[in-house]
Amino acid sequence: MYQIGLLGLGIVGTGTAEILLNPSRRNPLLSEMKIKRVGVRSLEKPRSVQLPRDILTTDLDSIVNDPDISIIVELLGGLEPARSLILKAIRAGKHVVTANKAVIARYREEIYAAARKAGVYVLIEAAVGGGIPIIKPLKQSLGANRLQSIVGIVNGTTNYILTQMTSFGTDFETVLRKAQELGYAEADPSADVDGLDAADKISILASIGFGGHIKREDVYCEGIRQVSSADITYGDRLGFVIKLLAIARGNAGEESDRLELRVHPTLVPKEHPLANINGVNNAILVEGDPLGQVMFYGPGAGSGPTASAVVSDIMNIVAILKSSGNAASLDPLLIPNHQHYCQIIPIEELSSSFYTRFISTDLPGVIGQIGTCFGENQVSLKSVVQIGFQEADAEIVVVTHNVQEKLFRQAIEEISRLEAIKDIPCVLRVI
Ligand code: HSE
């Protein structure tokens, strides 16, 4: 029997325990695993999963130091004590399975250096895309490709909010409250709605796909708070839907191996493969040479789907332990061995087409003034639409051709100083 120590019995921990306790008609390897201890915050809390009372403990250190346990499954979430417990488990010679994207995105180098030294695996399939297999495919099945891009909808909460806003014209705050009632969004929704969760996830995918560590603070990140129903409606008329995209792209034309790495709400053409990914679902579109495009789609969060990914990692480790007796020589396809950090291109240097909505006084010549500011900064316009707004105000929606972000921002800075411009409520990039 392979003994497992489970840290955390929340939504994903409960789903994981349910699979491990019910191996019937699943892979036979599951019958060779046993949950030895479960670390929880409170012994009194009622639990939906039936576990012997005496295997629960609040002493998490005693689990990572238990000599009988060979695999630690960290499902606590948050940075601490999760990071310290993962490192302690590794140093005690235990393999680790974790769904903790926040820890992996920030401490990947430290954790994998410790794992290589200890000769143990740290597997993270559940950290990105919930139940969607994406980590192992990137490491193994797609390993022969030169990757060009990884573009994903990797946050279910924001995708649910944007889908509801699009389908029912509901405003952001109302949908957010509904998402909180349904348990999709946290009481403090910032990690999701400000794009931080998606930034953690794309930094992990980019590390694997492009073969280098990523400094988490290098990921450019904007959330969805600025997106209003008005932008969704204008986007729709122009042939787009709005999605929070996480984008990692290698710049093949460059001499150096620099990456684009960014998270922001994006106008996506309706015919794009990611345009119809709705609700809490996630999808990741990977493009490589010679593969072309492949898309991974499915439930990006939730107890069962995420637990499915956790248990697949546990099975992987057990399969290796069974076949090799020990893991002294680590499978290089399963554990990263790169040492360098990827260089990330500053957002100002990237080029995009931009959508911008202006609120202005409805006076003769305003569109001309906006056009002049754009023209003087070498920003070429694809379309300009003026819509009557409220009383003497007008709403002007502009879509540019591809332009370097630095030049676009210079133009916007000048336009914001025009007397007729009252507000610039929304600027979005177009993919
Ligand atoms: N909060 C995440 C989401 C789920 O909304 O996608 C866990 O990664």
Side-chain angles (χ1 to χ4, degrees), residues 127-169:
V128 183
I132 305 172
I134 180 64
I135 303 287
K136 202 170 176 209
L138 274 181
K139 285 180 188 166
Q140 298 188 329
S141 327
L142 304 180
N145 287 273
R146 224 172 262 134
L147 279 206
Q148 288 148 347
S149 62
I150 304 171
V151 181
I153 293 172
V154 289
N155 183 268
T157 305
T158 45
N159 202 45
Y160 170 81
I161 292 173
L162 291 172
T163 303
Q164 290 282 314
M165 289 172 73
T166 306
S167 304
F168 305 108

Side-chain angles (χ1 to χ4, degrees), residues 199-398:
D200 288 349
K201 290 168 176 169
I202 195 66
S203 81
I204 293 172
L205 295 181
S207 287
I208 298 169
F210 294 98
H213 296 299
I214 305 281
K215 291 200 183 90
R216 172 59 183 78
E217 62 272 22
D218 285 349
V219 185
Y220 178 81
C221 182
E222 274 176 31
I224 63 165
R225 289 184 203 261
Q226 62 155 324
V227 178
S228 73
S229 302
D231 301 304
I232 290 175
T233 306
Y234 294 136
D236 178 58
R237 285 190 209 162
L238 293 162
F240 299 101
V241 290
I242 300 180
K243 295 288 181 193
L244 183 72
L245 293 192
I247 301 171
R249 191 172 279 133
N251 264 31
E254 290 212 347
E255 277 177 30
S256 69
D257 270 341
R258 298 196 304 164
L259 292 184
E260 279 184 47
L261 200 50
R262 49 200 170 106
V263 171
H264 49 69
T266 312
L267 287 188
V268 179
K270 287 180 185 172
E271 60 279 7
H272 189 280
L274 291 169
N276 291 310
I277 308 303
N278 291 320
V280 290
N281 286 313
N282 284 191
I284 300 129
L285 184 66
V286 180
E287 189 162 2
D289 174 33
L291 168 77
Q293 285 189 341
V294 61
M295 189 159 89
F296 299 82
Y297 167 72
S303 176
T306 312
S308 150
V310 168
V311 178
S312 78
D313 276 348
I314 302 174
M315 284 168 49
N316 245 292
I317 292 171
V318 168
I320 292 167
L321 296 179
K322 257 177 82 93
S323 60
S324 65
N326 63 63
S329 135
L330 293 170
D331 179 342
L333 286 180
L334 281 181
I335 193 153
N337 58 8
H338 46 254
Q339 311 290 327
H340 74 286
Y341 276 81
C342 296
Q343 265 198 302
I344 309 301
I345 306 173
I347 191 85
E348 296 77 15
E349 288 181 32
L350 299 180
S351 291
S352 305
S353 157
F354 290 88
Y355 158 103
T356 312
R357 180 160 57 91
F358 302 95
I359 307 292
S360 81
T361 318
D362 196 3
L363 290 172
V366 176
I367 289 186
Q369 289 174 22
I370 292 175
T372 304
C373 291
F374 275 131
E376 283 173 352
N377 287 288
Q378 298 154 56
V379 183
S380 160
L381 303 185
K382 197 188 288 181
S383 73
V384 182
V385 185
Q386 175 172 339
I387 297 115
F389 186 51
Q390 288 164 359
E391 294 165 11
D393 288 346
E395 200 160 44
I396 299 167
V397 171
V398 172

Side-chain angles (χ1 to χ4, degrees), residues 155-193:
N155 183 268
T157 305
T158 45
N159 202 45
Y160 170 81
I161 292 173
L162 291 172
T163 303
Q164 290 282 314
M165 289 172 73
T166 306
S167 304
F168 305 108
T170 325
D171 64 81
F172 172 79
E173 292 297 339
T174 308
V175 185
L176 175 59
R177 271 198 304 279
K178 187 172 164 200
Q180 285 169 324
E181 279 160 27
L182 289 170
Y184 296 150
E186 305 282 338
D188 174 4
S190 5
D192 292 319
V193 301

